Amino acid sequence: MSALTRGNLIIGQSGGATAVINASLVGAVEAALATNRIGAIYGMQHGIEGLLKEEILDLRQQPASLWPRIKQAPSAALGACRYKLQDSDPERVIEILRRYDIRYMLYIGGNDSADTSHRLAAAARQSDYELCIISIPKTIDNDLPFTDHCPGYGSAARFIAQATIDSTMNTVSIPWHYPVKIIETMGRDAGWLTAASALGKRDEQDPPHVILIPEQPFIQDRFLAQVEQIHRRIGHVIIAAAETIRDEQGRSLGASGQVGVDAFQHPLLSGTAQYLVDLVKTRLGLRARFDKPGDLQRMSSTNISSVDQEEAYLVGQAGVQAVLRGESDKMVTLVRHDEPRYHCTTGLVDLEQIANVQRLMPDQYLDESKTMVTTAFQDYALPLLGAPLIHHAHLEK
Amino acid sequence: MSALTRGNLIIGQSGGATAVINASLVGAVEAALATNRIGAIYGMQHGIEGLLKEEILDLRQQPASLWPRIKQAPSAALGACRYKLQDSDPERVIEILRRYDIRYMLYIGGNDSADTSHRLAAAARQSDYELCIISIPKTIDNDLPFTDHCPGYGSAARFIAQATIDSTMNTVSIPWHYPVKIIETMGRDAGWLTAASALGKRDEQDPPHVILIPEQPFIQDRFLAQVEQIHRRIGHVIIAAAETIRDEQGRSLGASGQVGVDAFQHPLLSGTAQYLVDLVKTRLGLRARFDKPGDLQRMSSTNISSVDQEEAYLVGQAGVQAVLRGESDKMVTLVRHDEPRYHCTTGLVDLEQIANVQRLMPDQYLDESKTMVTTAFQDYALPLLGAPLIHHAHLEK
């Protein structure tokens, strides 16, 4: 596709929000404001679902001083959606874009949003409507392929890593009171966030002692033996568990709390942590309780990774630069460089290769037990967390 | 009791930890290091339970440079306990104190620890053993009487207030996805921490929209009508609920998850949030989910209130000053001054008046509905949070 000389731009945000999804929005807006090749700058309210209802904001009307403050705010300032395109939707979207003479579109989201962008790009080609559409990666799940990691993951990982350090402090102050603690993290299919609980771990004593991720089957007897052994050795057991853990038959733990499916037919679940608490109590006679930070791990404004925030801003900017070069039907990626020190540049990958593909935790990031990460994982993920984690002082005994 | 000219000091920490309980320890240690009237400075490992086993640390052996770092660390650096004195214990404790020639004792804890201190003071009198024993207040529950508030509450309240602001950001980005969110806070009998969820609330739209505290009976039909009405009016409903909520017959919600009683015969419960999620789903057909930050609200190192930390340090110092004046069988209190601006000095109150008494939320801090706080409560609690809460920017619509 040839690069247009000038056009209107629309930006949308989609899916579960992150602490830095607005940094990508602001990166895009500020890049758009800085060029004379972009006319109107529109925002979809609640993503593609709002666009279909023509719920559109003129972002040039926002005071310029607002953008640095929006950059700091967690969640989607435009509103998000979890909407799967119906068959007639792409054509309707192109019709609306045409009406507003929108030639550039950026859609900030995860796998499902990449699929949406890909289908819209196809519809534009089919309608001979000149449109450059670029997907901007965003997900705390870190499960998009072809990018070193996903903006949003670093901050959520930082939250979980620090929470694991902090909340364990209470357990160890009276280890016999509640010797077993479960920390339930988000993660439906991929264990990246659960694994992040181990980013503050420096030795065998440090938490967590067991991680349970969706990629690995839960083998109950092995788990109970592990918990018992760790309890005997160090007096307490900290377990980080993904919200979805499956047994060897593929059944989810705690699925009795199953509450249906979402618009993408993903099962909605509750209850992994409660299941494990009851299991440990019943089978081992050990008192257990759980922390379930829930949306806080997405949204905590006191745990934002500065690296994550800057990278989110960078991919937003790169999206504008890409559409101005005439790129379309692609997703911005983060390309990692470890020399002279960790930093990222951006790249592009065809959406065809991305949409609905999930990147799971690779084997080299798990040790033999499959219930603990390797130092290779720590080397991969620690730079994404920004400032060093807070490790607490202890009295000398 | 006459003021001793010189004696050895022992300090202990007890009960559920807080983010600033070590600031009180360090306040006491640094005050003790600064006077020549204190000989040895001992620390009980795991409170009175450790003392009974003579698990004692010589705190003068710790490097001086460690104390400022311990001051920043959440949880009890000495280890804590939840131990109810057996009949023969007080005599045994006095025997151990006598052996170490300990004449000053500071015990940092909540109601139960105040009871322990009171019983030890009586045992010392009965044994004609000259001992000055002072209780240092500590509890995230803020339920100790006679003190304006309790060290530990400000940081936990800050965590809950900021978490309510932050995690709501995800709900409002797609309000129809999960229109109802429950945030489960700690609080077995007193609603102070649940009420803190409303410290960032500036208007009717701001979260939370309903608070459920242990002091107020849960009236199911009224609650459901309230949720339905708020949902109709603003499209989403944020509910902060204490871990223990009782119906009009005094039965705990979610008591099916009841897991027994602790050493003080307090019932251990789980499941309030899950109960409410299921209730809202079944009766109103609204999708709901919950965040349960658990121990994080006690321990979060990224949400410590600077005011709380300094006050915790102050009461630790005041404890040393009190025993040096010959005071005993008392608890240090915080005395509030609002002129020229908020600050606290310390006072003392007889332990006889404190032990096992709980201060519940008074009526003037609840509005007519009994499910929301008044501005009088905000005026009371906001200064305890230290720096202003982070309110996020929104686009102009």
Side-chain angles (χ1 to χ4, degrees):
Chain A
M1 185 174 289
S2 68
L4 293 153
T5 38
R6 188 178 159 85
N8 296 335
L9 167 71
I10 194 163
I11 310 171
Q13 294 173 306
S14 176
T18 78
V20 300
I21 186 171
N22 283 334
S24 292
L25 170 66
V26 175
V29 167
E30 293 189 343
L33 289 170
T35 173
N36 58 12
R37 290 184 51 208
I38 288 174
I41 306 172
Y42 296 117
M44 308 175 196
Q45 291 191 58
H46 299 292
I48 212 73
E49 192 169 1
L51 179 60
L52 282 162
K53 292 183 274 187
E54 291 187 53
E55 291 172 0
I56 291 168
L57 280 180
D58 178 355
L59 298 182
R60 284 197 187 270
Q61 298 298 316
Q62 302 288 327
S65 62
L66 189 61
W67 295 113
R69 293 183 55 221
I70 294 286
K71 184 180 173 187
Q72 304 300 328
S75 191
L78 289 169
C81 68
R82 287 177 182 270
Y83 180 80
K84 198 168 180 65
L85 285 179
Q86 307 299 301
D87 286 347
S88 62
D89 286 338
E91 201 179 328
R92 164 108 181 98
V93 168
I94 301 303
E95 190 187 305
I96 293 165
L97 296 179
R98 193 188 298 269
R99 185 132 31 86
Y100 287 83
D101 196 24
I102 291 165
R103 298 296 177 161
Y104 305 128
M105 173 172 156
L106 300 179
Y107 206 41
I108 309 167
N111 314 68
D112 298 321
S113 314
D115 179 58
T116 296
S117 299
H118 183 51
R119 290 178 61 187
L120 293 180
R125 277 194 301 273
Q126 215 162 4
S127 313
D128 267 334
Y129 180 69
E130 205 167 359
L131 176 70
C132 294
I133 181 165
I134 291 285
S135 192
I136 308 291
K138 168 280 337 168
T139 170
I140 61 163
D141 293 329
N142 202 39
D143 60 353
L144 289 165
F146 297 100
T147 183
D148 179 74
H149 56 277
C150 303
Y153 175 63
S155 296
R158 182 176 184 86
F159 178 93
I160 291 294
Q162 191 64 55
T164 304
I165 294 173
D166 287 353
S167 85
T168 298
M169 296 293 279
N170 195 48
T171 305
V172 299
S173 76
I174 326 181
W176 53 88
H177 187 49
Y178 277 98
V180 180
K181 182 209 292 270
I182 321 285
I183 299 169
E184 186 180 304
T185 73
M186 287 182 166
R188 214 154 23 192
D189 298 304
W192 297 99
L193 206 47
T194 316
S197 64
L199 289 174
K201 188 176 175 73
R202 298 158 304 179
D203 58 35
E204 196 197 30
Q205 300 269 331
D206 272 348
H209 307 108
V210 179
I211 66 167
L212 300 174
I213 64 174
E215 293 94 332
Q216 297 296 328
F218 176 76
I219 302 165
Q220 187 164 301
D221 288 342
R222 202 182 58 183
F223 168 76
L224 289 168
Q226 223 179 340
V227 171
E228 194 167 38
Q229 193 200 3
I230 295 162
H231 180 252
R232 207 171 330 119
R233 208 167 58 239
I234 62 175
H236 67 278
V237 190
I238 308 295
I239 300 156
E243 61 187 326
T244 306
I245 305 293
R246 298 177 190 85
D247 65 16
E248 288 168 287
Q249 283 74 46
R251 291 172 305 210
S252 297
L253 304 192
S256 63
Q258 202 157 340
V259 291
V261 293
D262 72 9
F264 294 96
Q265 302 298 310
H266 302 145
L268 296 166
L269 302 150
S270 70
T272 301
Q274 187 65 56
Y275 178 92
L276 293 171
V277 162
D278 294 342
L279 181 69
V280 164
K281 193 159 47 100
T282 317
R283 292 286 302 275
L284 301 179
L286 292 175
R287 279 158 60 115
R289 58 179 170 187
F290 73 89
D291 300 341
K292 180 184 168 172
D295 281 332
L296 263 184
Q297 63 201 293
R298 293 189 176 281
M299 294 285 104
S300 172
S301 59
T302 57
N303 288 274
I304 293 175
S305 154
S306 56
V307 167
D308 190 29
Q309 193 180 59
E310 281 315 307
E311 288 175 349
Y313 186 86
L314 184 71
V315 294
Q317 291 203 299
V320 169
Q321 289 150 5
V323 292
L324 289 178
R325 288 198 309 273
E327 300 280 5
S328 188
D329 205 5
K330 290 179 178 161
M331 184 186 82
V332 177
T333 60
L334 285 169
V335 181
R336 181 191 194 109
H337 308 275
D338 285 315
E339 299 294 338
R341 61 181 198 298
Y342 169 87
H343 67 287
C344 279
T345 53
T346 64
L348 290 172
V349 61
D350 287 340
L351 279 179
E352 191 160 28
Q353 296 185 69
I354 291 279
N356 301 322
V357 178
Q358 276 189 306
R359 184 179 60 156
L360 304 179
M361 283 274 288
D363 277 349
Q364 81 261 27
Y365 288 166
L366 295 172
D367 74 8
E368 279 183 10
S369 73
K370 308 291 183 197
T371 55
M372 190 43 60
V373 301
T374 56
T375 53
F377 170 73
Q378 292 183 319
D379 292 343
Y380 161 77
L382 263 174
L384 320 183
L385 269 49
L389 292 167
I390 303 168
H391 287 283
H392 305 300
H394 295 274
L395 293 177
E396 295 178 7
K397 277 167 195 172
Chain B
M1 185 174 289
S2 68
L4 293 151
T5 38
R6 189 178 159 87
N8 296 334
L9 166 70
I10 194 163
I11 310 172
Q13 293 174 306
S14 177
T18 78
V20 300
I21 185 172
N22 284 334
S24 292
L25 170 65
V26 176
V29 168
E30 294 189 341
L33 289 170
T35 172
N36 57 14
R37 289 183 52 206
I38 288 175
I41 307 173
Y42 295 117
M44 307 175 198
Q45 291 192 57
H46 300 293
I48 212 73
E49 193 169 2
L51 179 60
L52 282 163
K53 294 182 272 186
E54 291 186 53
E55 292 173 359
I56 292 168
L57 281 179
D58 178 355
L59 298 182
R60 285 198 186 268
Q61 299 296 316
Q62 301 288 328
S65 62
L66 189 60
W67 296 113
R69 294 183 55 223
I70 294 287
K71 184 180 173 186
Q72 304 299 328
S75 192
L78 289 169
C81 67
R82 286 177 183 270
Y83 180 79
K84 197 168 181 66
L85 287 178
Q86 306 300 300
D87 286 346
S88 62
D89 287 338
E91 202 179 328
R92 163 111 180 98
V93 168
I94 300 303
E95 189 187 304
I96 294 165
L97 296 178
R98 194 189 297 270
R99 185 135 29 88
Y100 286 82
D101 196 26
I102 291 165
R103 298 296 177 163
Y104 304 128
M105 173 172 157
L106 300 179
Y107 205 43
I108 308 168
N111 315 66
D112 298 322
S113 315
D115 179 57
T116 297
S117 300
H118 183 51
R119 292 177 60 188
L120 293 180
R125 276 193 301 272
Q126 216 162 4
S127 313
D128 268 332
Y129 180 68
E130 207 168 355
L131 175 72
C132 294
I133 181 164
I134 291 286
S135 192
I136 308 291
K138 170 275 348 166
T139 170
I140 61 163
D141 293 327
N142 202 38
D143 60 353
L144 289 166
F146 297 100
T147 183
D148 180 73
H149 56 279
C150 303
Y153 175 63
S155 297
R158 182 175 184 87
F159 178 95
I160 290 295
Q162 191 64 56
T164 303
I165 294 172
D166 288 353
S167 85
T168 298
M169 297 293 282
N170 195 50
T171 305
V172 300
S173 76
I174 325 178
W176 54 88
H177 188 48
Y178 279 97
V180 179
K181 182 209 291 275
I182 320 285
I183 300 170
E184 186 182 303
T185 72
M186 287 182 167
R188 214 155 22 193
D189 297 303
W192 296 100
L193 207 48
T194 317
S197 65
L199 289 175
K201 187 175 176 74
R202 297 157 305 179
D203 58 35
E204 197 197 31
Q205 301 268 331
D206 273 348
H209 308 107
V210 179
I211 65 167
L212 301 174
I213 63 174
E215 292 94 331
Q216 297 295 330
F218 177 75
I219 302 165
Q220 186 165 301
D221 289 341
R222 202 182 59 183
F223 168 76
L224 288 168
Q226 224 179 340
V227 170
E228 194 167 39
Q229 192 200 4
I230 295 161
H231 179 252
R232 205 170 331 117
R233 207 168 59 239
I234 62 176
H236 67 279
V237 189
I238 309 296
I239 300 155
E243 62 187 326
T244 306
I245 305 294
R246 297 177 190 86
D247 65 15
E248 288 168 288
Q249 284 73 48
R251 290 172 306 209
S252 298
L253 304 192
S256 62
Q258 200 158 342
V259 291
V261 294
D262 72 9
F264 295 98
Q265 302 298 312
H266 301 146
L268 296 166
L269 302 151
S270 70
T272 302
Q274 188 65 58
Y275 178 93
L276 294 171
V277 162
D278 294 341
L279 181 69
V280 163
K281 192 160 48 101
T282 317
R283 292 286 302 276
L284 301 179
L286 292 174
R287 280 159 59 113
R289 60 180 169 185
F290 72 91
D291 301 341
K292 180 185 167 170
D295 281 332
L296 262 183
Q297 63 201 293
R298 291 188 176 283
M299 295 285 103
S300 172
S301 60
T302 57
N303 288 274
I304 293 175
S305 154
S306 56
V307 166
D308 189 29
Q309 193 179 57
E310 283 314 307
E311 289 174 348
Y313 185 85
L314 184 70
V315 294
Q317 291 203 300
V320 170
Q321 289 150 5
V323 292
L324 290 178
R325 287 198 309 274
E327 299 280 5
S328 188
D329 205 5
K330 289 178 179 162
M331 184 186 83
V332 177
T333 60
L334 285 169
V335 180
R336 182 191 193 110
H337 308 276
D338 285 315
E339 301 294 336
R341 60 183 198 293
Y342 169 86
H343 67 287
C344 279
T345 52
T346 62
L348 289 173
V349 61
D350 287 340
L351 280 179
E352 190 160 26
Q353 296 186 67
I354 291 280
N356 300 319
V357 178
Q358 277 190 307
R359 185 179 59 158
L360 304 179
M361 284 273 288
D363 277 350
Q364 81 260 28
Y365 288 167
L366 295 172
D367 74 7
E368 278 183 10
S369 73
K370 307 292 182 196
T371 56
M372 190 42 61
V373 301
T374 55
T375 53
F377 171 73
Q378 292 183 318
D379 292 343
Y380 161 77
L382 264 174
L384 319 184
L385 268 51
L389 292 167
I390 304 168
H391 287 282
H392 306 301
H394 296 274
L395 292 177
E396 294 177 7
K397 276 167 196 175

